[in-house]
Amino acid sequence: MLELTQNSNNIIGSPCSIQALASKDHARVLLASDSHGKFKTLLSILRLYGSSCDAFLFCGDGASDIAEILECAEEDEKFKEALPPVMAFVAGNGDPKTYPVSFDIGKNNPEARLFPKGTVIFPSDQSLCVNGHNIFMSHGHYYGVDFSLNRLSYAANEKEASIAFYGHTHIAGEFTSTKCRCINPGSCARPRGGQPAGFAIVTFEKEFIDTAFIKTEDYKLWTPVC
């Protein structure tokens, strides 16, 4: 179950859960991006897939939706139990760097203590480890992902990461650039390029990493707000 605490590394979850994610032999990561206010869609994705995953990662442009997810988890114990034990996110070009919630989520985060109580920090970039793999997360707009993945790959390599998760383009895909595997889950709300709305589940095994792109189907994903 997710511990609703944002740590000094800006990852949400207990230190034990974050450490366990780094060393697990088998891990599933729920990866989404660019919800753009479609909170119900993101909520539905988490209700359907969250309990089967070890982490939820969000690549930006949906800070208000993430804040509402956190509020729902604080208010609804059953929903919190369905969430993965680790959550991380970054700010998109349409997001603020901080967002308020009604509880003291940043009590263990020195950066959050510089702001009013109940402030969630949305970093520009985020690093974490899954199954021994270092991952670099960014929305992508600072790295020109509309034109090339080279700058994103270089930034990941500087963080000793071989995998980069990003959003911004609203186009799902998996690409390899300068020794870096770059994965974009697409937009769960506003797809482009003729693609359907969707997200991804990335499975980390000892021998391989597999990405499954999943289409958001409204008739399956609709669910009442908590």
Side-chain angles (χ1 to χ4, degrees):
M1 185 169 64
L2 180 67
E3 181 178 299
L4 293 172
T5 301
Q6 187 171 35
N7 298 279
S8 58
N9 57 8
N10 292 317
I11 299 174
I12 292 180
S14 71
C16 289
S17 295
I18 297 168
Q19 185 176 1
L21 180 67
S23 58
K24 289 193 71 167
D25 289 340
H26 168 86
R28 281 163 53 94
V29 169
L30 177 58
L31 181 65
S33 189
D34 294 276
S35 54
H36 287 280
K38 297 294 185 180
F39 162 65
K40 289 183 181 179
T41 298
L42 198 58
L43 182 72
S44 300
I45 291 168
L46 283 163
R47 279 182 164 160
L48 284 172
Y49 293 92
S51 61
S52 66
C53 293
D54 300 289
F56 169 53
L57 307 182
F58 186 80
C59 295
D61 272 357
S64 63
D65 304 320
I66 293 297
E68 287 208 58
I69 291 294
L70 295 171
E71 291 284 9
C72 276
E74 171 68 9
E75 296 169 5
D76 186 339
E77 192 72 14
K78 186 176 180 181
F79 175 61
K80 184 166 71 172
E81 289 175 356
L83 293 176
V86 176
M87 180 187 296
F89 38 74
V90 293
N93 58 294
D95 289 331
K97 302 302 182 185
T98 63
Y99 208 94
V101 292
S102 63
F103 59 99
D104 191 10
I105 193 170
K107 59 186 177 182
N108 294 332
N109 187 347
E111 185 180 357
R113 290 201 292 269
L114 300 174
F115 299 96
K117 184 177 179 180
T119 296
V120 183
I121 305 294
F122 284 80
S124 298
D125 301 327
Q126 178 68 66
S127 297
L128 71 158
C129 184
V130 178
N131 192 1
H133 298 273
N134 291 331
I135 295 170
F136 179 76
M137 285 177 60
S138 177
H139 187 60
H141 56 298
Y142 289 128
Y143 299 103
V145 295
D146 287 307
F147 309 102
S148 168
L149 295 176
N150 287 340
R151 290 172 58 195
L152 178 68
S153 298
Y154 292 146
N157 291 163
E158 287 180 355
K159 297 288 187 179
E160 299 183 347
S162 59
I163 301 168
F165 293 155
Y166 71 104
H168 188 58
T169 66
H170 295 212
I171 297 175
E174 185 171 2
F175 316 93
T176 301
S177 174
T178 59
K179 300 181 181 180
C180 185
R181 189 173 189 168
C182 302
I183 301 173
N184 188 327
S187 170
C188 61
R190 297 181 182 177
R192 295 174 184 157
Q195 292 187 345
F199 55 99
I201 292 179
V202 185
T203 302
F204 292 81
E205 299 282 2
K206 278 188 174 181
E207 297 81 13
F208 65 90
I209 299 171
D210 177 72
T211 305
F213 294 98
I214 301 172
K215 181 170 65 172
T216 300
E217 297 180 73
D218 288 340
Y219 74 92
K220 287 184 179 180
L221 291 173
W222 185 88
T223 185
V225 177
C226 62

